[in-house]
Amino acid sequence: MGKREYNDARKAANKRYIDEKTDLIKANLPRGYKEKVNKIAEKTGTSKAQAIKNSIDTLYNALFDE
């Protein structure tokens, strides 16, 4: 299978997916937290976004799941 061309239709489809299926969260944290997230992601073999998501899920489940 050949390489897909990244054209205007693909860009529009990607934007539509992001707009419909994801939330954007921005946080201003004390210095050093960026490196902590990087280390967690590296140690667990995940992306930084997945490392943050896993942390949120773990805390949420501890607090709200019975």
Side-chain angles (χ1 to χ4, degrees):
M1 185 177 268
K3 188 175 177 181
R4 284 189 184 183
E5 185 177 328
Y6 193 67
N7 56 25
D8 290 339
R10 175 58 44 201
K11 288 178 189 176
N14 287 348
K15 183 180 180 339
R16 191 169 50 254
Y17 176 85
I18 289 170
D19 290 345
E20 293 174 3
K21 306 283 184 177
T22 64
D23 289 325
L24 177 64
I25 299 172
K26 290 186 177 186
N28 292 315
L29 301 171
R31 291 200 181 271
Y33 276 80
K34 181 179 177 180
E35 185 59 31
K36 288 179 181 182
V37 172
N38 287 339
K39 285 182 179 181
I40 292 168
E42 199 173 286
K43 183 83 169 181
T44 58
T46 62
S47 67
K48 290 180 278 187
Q50 186 64 46
I52 293 168
K53 182 182 171 296
N54 291 345
S55 298
I56 291 169
D57 287 344
T58 300
L59 182 58
Y60 185 91
N61 291 337
L63 293 173
F64 298 107
D65 284 356
E66 297 178 13

XYZ file of all heavy atoms in Angstrom:
530
model
N 0.847 -1.171 0.000
C 0.000 0.000 0.000
C 0.889 1.229 0.000
O 1.837 1.321 0.765
C -0.918 -0.023 1.219
C -1.913 1.103 1.241
S -3.041 0.989 2.647
C -4.361 0.065 1.893
N 0.583 2.187 -0.836
C 1.398 3.385 -0.968
C 1.139 4.398 0.131
O 0.202 4.276 0.913
N 1.982 5.389 0.147
C 1.859 6.455 1.126
C 0.673 7.341 0.758
O 0.476 7.691 -0.404
C 3.146 7.269 1.135
C 3.213 8.276 2.236
C 4.572 8.953 2.241
C 4.598 10.004 3.312
N 5.876 10.701 3.346
N -0.138 7.690 1.751
C -1.281 8.566 1.498
C -0.821 10.002 1.313
O 0.106 10.465 1.965
C -2.245 8.541 2.678
C -3.073 7.324 2.762
C -4.121 7.529 3.811
N -4.883 6.309 3.979
C -5.907 6.192 4.780
N -6.294 7.201 5.512
N -6.551 5.059 4.878
N -1.500 10.666 0.427
C -1.210 12.072 0.200
C -1.959 12.897 1.243
O -3.134 12.671 1.514
C -1.671 12.469 -1.200
C -1.305 13.865 -1.587
C -1.721 14.202 -3.005
O -1.723 13.296 -3.843
O -2.049 15.371 -3.241
N -1.262 13.829 1.862
C -1.881 14.691 2.864
C -2.396 15.936 2.157
O -1.700 16.930 2.001
C -0.866 15.048 3.947
C -1.487 15.665 5.173
C -2.330 14.933 6.001
C -1.235 16.979 5.511
C -2.897 15.491 7.126
C -1.799 17.560 6.629
C -2.629 16.809 7.440
O -3.197 17.374 8.557
N -3.631 15.871 1.718
C -4.217 16.961 0.943
C -5.261 17.713 1.768
O -5.465 17.433 2.944
C -4.815 16.420 -0.363
C -5.834 15.333 -0.102
O -6.433 15.274 0.962
N -6.027 14.454 -1.075
N -5.943 18.657 1.141
C -6.931 19.470 1.849
C -8.075 18.641 2.406
O -8.577 18.916 3.501
C -7.480 20.561 0.926
C -6.443 21.641 0.629
O -5.490 21.771 1.421
O -6.589 22.342 -0.384
N -8.495 17.608 1.691
C -9.583 16.754 2.172
C -9.155 16.001 3.426
O -9.927 15.876 4.384
C -10.006 15.767 1.086
N -7.929 15.508 3.452
C -7.411 14.787 4.619
C -7.288 15.737 5.804
O -7.621 15.399 6.937
C -6.059 14.152 4.286
C -5.334 13.471 5.421
C -6.047 12.360 6.126
N -6.709 11.429 5.279
C -7.702 10.645 5.684
N -8.110 10.663 6.927
N -8.285 9.824 4.851
N -6.804 16.957 5.567
C -6.691 17.959 6.627
C -8.060 18.263 7.223
O -8.209 18.361 8.441
C -6.067 19.245 6.088
C -4.601 19.143 5.783
C -4.090 20.453 5.208
C -2.679 20.299 4.686
N -2.189 21.519 4.036
N -9.061 18.415 6.357
C -10.415 18.707 6.822
C -10.974 17.539 7.631
O -11.618 17.739 8.663
C -11.324 19.015 5.636
N -10.713 16.323 7.180
C -11.190 15.140 7.898
C -10.525 15.042 9.273
O -11.188 14.732 10.277
C -10.924 13.880 7.086
N -9.221 15.312 9.342
C -8.516 15.286 10.620
C -9.054 16.343 11.575
O -9.270 16.078 12.755
C -7.014 15.497 10.412
C -6.338 14.280 9.821
O -6.911 13.197 9.760
N -5.119 14.468 9.369
N -9.287 17.547 11.065
C -9.820 18.626 11.893
C -11.211 18.272 12.401
O -11.524 18.476 13.577
C -9.857 19.937 11.113
C -10.342 21.105 11.951
C -10.377 22.383 11.182
C -10.860 23.579 11.954
N -11.653 23.393 13.125
N -12.038 17.729 11.531
C -13.389 17.326 11.915
C -13.346 16.269 13.015
O -14.076 16.344 14.003
C -14.155 16.826 10.690
C -15.625 16.635 10.897
C -16.396 16.387 9.598
N -15.812 15.338 8.757
C -15.141 15.542 7.622
N -14.957 16.769 7.173
N -14.664 14.541 6.927
N -12.452 15.281 12.882
C -12.317 14.229 13.893
C -11.900 14.831 15.237
O -12.490 14.535 16.276
C -11.289 13.179 13.460
C -11.060 12.135 14.518
C -11.895 11.029 14.604
C -10.030 12.261 15.444
C -11.708 10.072 15.585
C -9.839 11.307 16.426
C -10.672 10.221 16.497
O -10.496 9.285 17.481
N -10.886 15.700 15.222
C -10.404 16.315 16.455
C -11.502 17.149 17.104
O -11.712 17.085 18.319
C -9.139 17.149 16.185
C -7.968 16.206 15.875
C -8.805 18.059 17.361
C -6.729 16.899 15.352
N -12.233 17.918 16.311
C -13.304 18.762 16.841
C -14.429 17.937 17.460
O -14.997 18.319 18.479
C -13.882 19.657 15.742
C -12.921 20.750 15.300
O -11.928 21.009 16.021
O -13.153 21.336 14.222
N -14.747 16.786 16.864
C -15.878 15.974 17.320
C -15.516 14.978 18.421
O -16.360 14.645 19.244
C -16.471 15.201 16.136
C -17.131 16.080 15.094
C -17.591 15.303 13.864
O -17.446 14.069 13.842
O -18.067 15.960 12.914
N -14.288 14.498 18.441
C -13.954 13.360 19.293
C -12.987 13.660 20.433
O -12.715 12.778 21.241
C -13.326 12.237 18.446
C -14.139 11.800 17.263
C -15.271 10.916 17.655
C -15.991 10.447 16.389
N -17.050 9.551 16.647
N -12.446 14.857 20.503
C -11.450 15.131 21.532
C -11.754 16.427 22.274
O -12.487 17.288 21.796
C -10.028 15.244 20.929
O -9.982 16.354 20.050
C -9.643 13.983 20.182
N -11.193 16.544 23.485
C -11.231 17.771 24.266
C -9.806 18.295 24.374
O -8.860 17.514 24.492
C -11.739 17.506 25.693
C -13.220 17.180 25.735
O -13.978 17.735 24.929
O -13.608 16.369 26.594
N -9.658 19.590 24.367
C -8.358 20.214 24.529
C -8.262 20.740 25.949
O -9.132 21.483 26.408
C -8.172 21.365 23.530
C -6.872 22.154 23.657
C -5.675 21.248 23.352
C -6.888 23.334 22.713
N -7.217 20.326 26.657
C -6.990 20.784 28.023
C -5.615 21.433 28.065
O -4.627 20.833 27.663
C -7.032 19.606 29.019
C -8.392 18.923 28.985
C -6.687 20.076 30.414
C -8.450 17.648 29.798
N -5.571 22.667 28.553
C -4.299 23.361 28.740
C -4.145 23.626 30.229
O -5.105 23.982 30.909
C -4.272 24.682 27.979
C -4.224 24.521 26.487
C -4.062 25.874 25.817
C -3.944 25.704 24.317
N -3.648 26.977 23.651
N -2.941 23.439 30.730
C -2.698 23.668 32.153
C -1.356 24.359 32.337
O -0.364 23.952 31.746
C -2.711 22.339 32.903
N -1.348 25.386 33.153
C -0.106 26.031 33.553
C 0.311 25.402 34.872
O -0.361 25.575 35.893
C -0.292 27.543 33.712
C -0.542 28.207 32.384
O 0.147 27.919 31.413
N -1.521 29.091 32.327
N 1.392 24.647 34.842
C 1.866 23.932 36.017
C 3.220 24.483 36.439
O 3.936 25.076 35.630
C 1.992 22.442 35.701
C 0.700 21.762 35.240
C 0.993 20.351 34.759
C -0.315 21.747 36.353
N 3.596 24.241 37.690
C 4.924 24.689 38.127
C 6.023 24.049 37.282
O 5.859 22.946 36.742
C 4.999 24.191 39.574
C 3.584 24.026 39.999
C 2.840 23.621 38.768
N 7.146 24.736 37.206
C 8.286 24.205 36.453
C 8.646 22.830 36.974
O 8.560 22.562 38.158
C 9.479 25.136 36.566
C 9.256 26.445 35.847
C 10.580 27.127 35.552
N 10.377 28.393 34.890
C 10.297 28.537 33.568
N 10.393 27.493 32.793
N 10.121 29.727 33.034
N 9.007 21.959 36.054
C 9.398 20.605 36.419
C 8.346 19.558 36.095
O 8.667 18.381 35.947
N 7.088 19.962 35.988
C 6.028 18.995 35.708
C 6.094 18.461 34.284
O 5.742 17.318 34.032
C 4.649 19.592 35.999
C 4.297 19.463 37.461
C 4.798 20.348 38.399
C 3.477 18.439 37.909
C 4.502 20.226 39.732
C 3.168 18.308 39.243
C 3.684 19.203 40.153
O 3.392 19.071 41.486
N 6.544 19.276 33.367
C 6.697 18.822 31.986
C 7.675 17.657 31.936
O 7.419 16.630 31.290
C 7.191 19.978 31.103
C 7.358 19.619 29.652
C 7.817 20.847 28.874
C 8.066 20.525 27.424
N 8.517 21.704 26.673
N 8.780 17.783 32.645
C 9.770 16.707 32.679
C 9.221 15.472 33.396
O 9.501 14.342 33.001
C 11.056 17.189 33.369
C 12.174 16.171 33.345
C 12.591 15.752 31.939
O 12.504 16.557 31.003
O 12.994 14.587 31.780
N 8.417 15.683 34.432
C 7.800 14.547 35.131
C 6.884 13.766 34.186
O 6.915 12.533 34.162
C 7.001 15.017 36.344
C 7.862 15.486 37.494
C 7.007 15.950 38.654
C 7.855 16.441 39.806
N 7.048 16.853 40.956
N 6.078 14.480 33.411
C 5.188 13.817 32.457
C 6.005 13.080 31.405
O 5.691 11.944 31.039
C 4.211 14.825 31.802
C 3.428 14.181 30.672
C 3.268 15.393 32.839
N 7.073 13.709 30.913
C 7.945 13.053 29.938
C 8.522 11.761 30.490
O 8.553 10.735 29.801
C 9.087 13.986 29.520
C 8.638 15.103 28.618
O 7.596 15.016 27.981
N 9.417 16.162 28.566
N 8.987 11.792 31.742
C 9.577 10.603 32.364
C 8.535 9.495 32.556
O 8.822 8.317 32.342
C 10.220 10.959 33.696
C 11.525 11.694 33.550
C 12.150 11.981 34.904
C 13.465 12.701 34.751
N 14.104 12.963 36.049
N 7.336 9.870 32.977
C 6.265 8.878 33.147
C 5.948 8.226 31.814
O 5.828 7.003 31.710
C 4.999 9.532 33.750
C 5.252 9.960 35.192
C 3.807 8.582 33.672
C 4.176 10.867 35.764
N 5.804 9.034 30.776
C 5.479 8.502 29.446
C 6.585 7.586 28.940
O 6.315 6.509 28.398
C 5.251 9.650 28.465
N 7.815 7.999 29.130
C 8.946 7.190 28.680
C 9.009 5.861 29.424
O 9.186 4.807 28.828
C 10.232 7.990 28.920
C 11.420 7.519 28.136
C 12.587 8.466 28.311
O 12.539 9.572 27.716
O 13.523 8.103 29.040
N 8.827 5.910 30.739
C 8.898 4.709 31.582
C 7.778 3.723 31.252
O 7.984 2.510 31.283
C 8.822 5.119 33.054
C 8.950 4.014 34.038
C 10.384 3.701 34.281
C 10.508 2.766 35.473
N 11.877 2.451 35.766
N 6.588 4.237 30.924
C 5.445 3.367 30.638
C 5.316 3.031 29.156
O 4.453 2.241 28.780
C 4.129 4.012 31.125
O 3.964 5.287 30.499
C 4.126 4.176 32.631
N 6.151 3.655 28.320
C 6.098 3.364 26.889
C 4.865 3.907 26.203
O 4.352 3.317 25.255
N 4.377 5.050 26.694
C 3.186 5.666 26.113
C 3.513 7.088 25.675
O 4.596 7.604 25.945
C 2.031 5.717 27.141
O 2.430 6.533 28.246
C 1.658 4.341 27.639
N 2.536 7.719 25.041
C 2.682 9.133 24.707
C 2.436 9.961 25.966
O 1.898 9.462 26.970
C 1.677 9.532 23.630
O 0.357 9.470 24.153
N 2.812 11.233 25.910
C 2.557 12.123 27.046
C 1.056 12.258 27.280
O 0.603 12.245 28.423
C 3.194 13.486 26.808
C 4.710 13.444 26.855
C 5.324 14.802 26.612
C 5.367 15.048 25.127
N 6.093 16.256 24.737
N 0.288 12.341 26.207
C -1.167 12.460 26.341
C -1.749 11.222 27.011
O -2.615 11.332 27.886
C -1.806 12.678 24.968
N -1.263 10.047 26.630
C -1.768 8.809 27.219
C -1.357 8.714 28.687
O -2.141 8.256 29.520
C -1.264 7.587 26.453
C -1.876 6.282 26.929
C -3.372 6.209 26.696
O -3.849 6.551 25.615
N -4.112 5.783 27.684
N -0.161 9.163 29.033
C 0.284 9.142 30.423
C -0.611 10.033 31.286
O -1.002 9.644 32.393
C 1.740 9.597 30.520
N -0.950 11.208 30.786
C -1.844 12.107 31.519
C -3.234 11.501 31.628
O -3.853 11.522 32.695
C -1.886 13.495 30.845
C -0.523 14.175 30.970
C -2.983 14.365 31.447
C -0.360 15.414 30.117
N -3.730 10.939 30.540
C -5.048 10.303 30.543
C -5.097 9.167 31.561
O -6.056 9.048 32.336
C -5.394 9.777 29.154
C -6.762 9.146 29.047
C -6.993 8.615 27.638
C -8.245 7.794 27.543
N -8.232 6.580 28.337
N -4.062 8.331 31.593
C -4.016 7.226 32.550
C -4.018 7.732 33.991
O -4.688 7.154 34.858
C -2.784 6.357 32.306
C -2.858 5.578 31.014
O -3.908 5.446 30.403
N -1.717 5.087 30.570
N -3.292 8.806 34.245
C -3.249 9.378 35.593
C -4.620 9.905 36.006
O -5.065 9.678 37.134
C -2.224 10.514 35.657
O -0.937 10.031 35.374
N -5.283 10.592 35.110
C -6.620 11.109 35.396
C -7.589 9.953 35.632
O -8.372 9.973 36.593
C -7.114 12.018 34.252
C -6.298 13.301 34.222
C -8.609 12.327 34.405
C -6.521 14.155 32.991
N -7.547 8.926 34.777
C -8.435 7.775 34.935
C -8.211 7.073 36.264
O -9.174 6.685 36.943
C -8.247 6.778 33.786
C -8.827 7.273 32.475
O -9.637 8.225 32.492
O -8.463 6.703 31.433
N -6.949 6.912 36.659
C -6.631 6.242 37.920
C -7.194 7.015 39.106
O -7.844 6.435 39.989
C -5.102 6.085 38.071
O -4.620 5.294 36.982
C -4.741 5.417 39.377
N -6.968 8.324 39.133
C -7.476 9.141 40.232
C -9.004 9.193 40.225
O -9.645 9.077 41.269
C -6.891 10.554 40.164
C -7.300 11.504 41.285
C -6.922 10.941 42.650
C -6.654 12.867 41.080
N -9.592 9.345 39.050
C -11.054 9.401 38.940
C -11.678 8.117 39.472
O -12.628 8.148 40.249
C -11.467 9.628 37.484
C -12.954 9.813 37.316
C -13.522 11.081 37.373
C -13.799 8.723 37.121
C -14.887 11.263 37.232
C -15.173 8.890 36.987
C -15.711 10.156 37.044
O -17.058 10.334 36.919
N -11.118 6.985 39.064
C -11.655 5.701 39.517
C -11.512 5.531 41.017
O -12.398 4.998 41.680
C -10.976 4.543 38.785
C -11.364 4.480 37.319
O -12.405 4.993 36.918
N -10.526 3.853 36.505
N -10.415 5.994 41.584
C -10.206 5.903 43.023
C -11.199 6.769 43.775
O -11.662 6.409 44.863
C -8.780 6.305 43.373
N -11.561 7.912 43.232
C -12.443 8.833 43.907
C -13.931 8.546 43.698
O -14.734 8.750 44.607
C -12.155 10.272 43.459
C -10.803 10.846 43.866
C -10.596 12.198 43.213
C -10.697 10.946 45.382
N -14.305 8.090 42.498
C -15.720 8.028 42.167
C -16.280 6.642 41.913
O -17.491 6.447 41.927
C -16.001 8.921 40.945
C -15.697 10.368 41.222
C -14.584 10.966 40.660
C -16.494 11.127 42.061
C -14.289 12.296 40.913
C -16.204 12.455 42.321
C -15.099 13.038 41.745
N -15.450 5.674 41.642
C -15.954 4.315 41.441
C -16.062 3.625 42.789
O -15.233 3.799 43.658
C -15.029 3.506 40.520
C -15.183 3.902 39.057
O -16.056 4.740 38.764
O -14.437 3.383 38.239
N -17.086 2.841 42.928
C -17.289 2.144 44.203
C -16.823 0.730 44.132
O -16.673 0.099 43.193
C -18.767 2.205 44.555
C -19.205 3.634 44.768
C -20.695 3.734 45.073
O -21.337 2.719 45.366
O -21.219 4.833 45.024
